[in-house]
Amino acid sequence: MTPKHKKSENGFTLIEIMIVIIIMGILASYVAVKLTGQTEKARVTQARTQIESIKTALEMYHMDNGRYPSTDQGLQALVTEPTVGKLPRAWRKGGYLESYPKDPWGNEFFYLSPGEHGDYDISSFGNDGEPGGEDSDADINNWDAE
């Protein structure tokens, strides 16, 4: 007779690993600014990292509620429970992000759901805060990283 072995429940979930990787990316972009002085390049990297963090939060929202926040609800739905539009059925207490996300230039991210490039579109309009542009004014989009 063999004793039953208790299944080990130690380990990390995919979400926890993704959050750690995102935090490491944010820290890496911060260090890059301080060490190399390439501020604009580091801001672009940070914006890409923030977009990945927002995507992770949107996926968690979707898993809990069966849909993404509407354009009207916006990314604020990841911080505070929506009170407009189709209300979430199982909004997570404490939200999906600690604070409303702003890009490295202090501008709000553009959010569209449903998106033109997928279930949702997320963009940072770069240094000038306007669609289009080149160099540090160029748009950074979630669909470009895929």
Side-chain angles (χ1 to χ4, degrees):
M1 188 151 107
T2 61
K4 291 185 179 183
H5 296 286
K6 185 175 180 181
K7 184 178 177 183
S8 174
E9 294 184 21
N10 294 336
F12 298 99
T13 65
L14 177 61
I15 298 288
E16 290 170 328
I17 291 169
M18 290 173 59
I19 290 171
V20 168
I21 290 170
I22 290 166
I23 290 169
M24 288 172 46
I26 292 170
L27 290 173
S29 66
Y30 179 77
V31 169
V33 170
K34 296 298 181 185
L35 294 179
T36 65
Q38 296 180 352
T39 306
E40 286 306 309
K41 190 174 182 180
R43 285 185 177 159
V44 169
T45 301
Q46 184 178 9
R48 290 186 197 286
T49 303
Q50 286 177 296
I51 287 173
E52 289 302 316
S53 177
I54 293 168
K55 285 172 56 176
T56 300
L58 284 167
E59 294 306 321
M60 289 190 299
Y61 183 100
H62 184 266
M63 285 190 303
D64 288 348
N65 300 291
R67 66 183 170 280
Y68 297 102
S70 67
T71 300
D72 290 339
Q73 292 168 333
L75 297 176
Q76 186 64 39
L78 301 174
V79 181
T80 58
E81 188 171 1
T83 58
V84 298
K86 193 168 183 180
L87 301 180
R89 64 179 182 216
W91 193 83
R92 185 175 295 189
K93 183 178 178 181
Y96 300 86
L97 291 174
E98 287 185 26
S99 61
Y100 186 77
K102 291 209 173 194
D103 71 12
W105 297 275
N107 302 314
E108 293 185 8
F109 284 94
F110 172 79
Y111 174 73
L112 180 66
S113 179
E116 296 175 2
H117 302 275
D119 292 326
Y120 53 82
D121 294 348
I122 308 167
S123 297
S124 166
F125 294 137
N127 188 36
D128 64 354
E130 299 290 328
E134 297 179 17
D135 300 322
S136 66
D137 294 337
D139 298 349
I140 302 158
N141 308 299
N142 69 305
W143 62 90
D144 291 338
E146 298 175 359

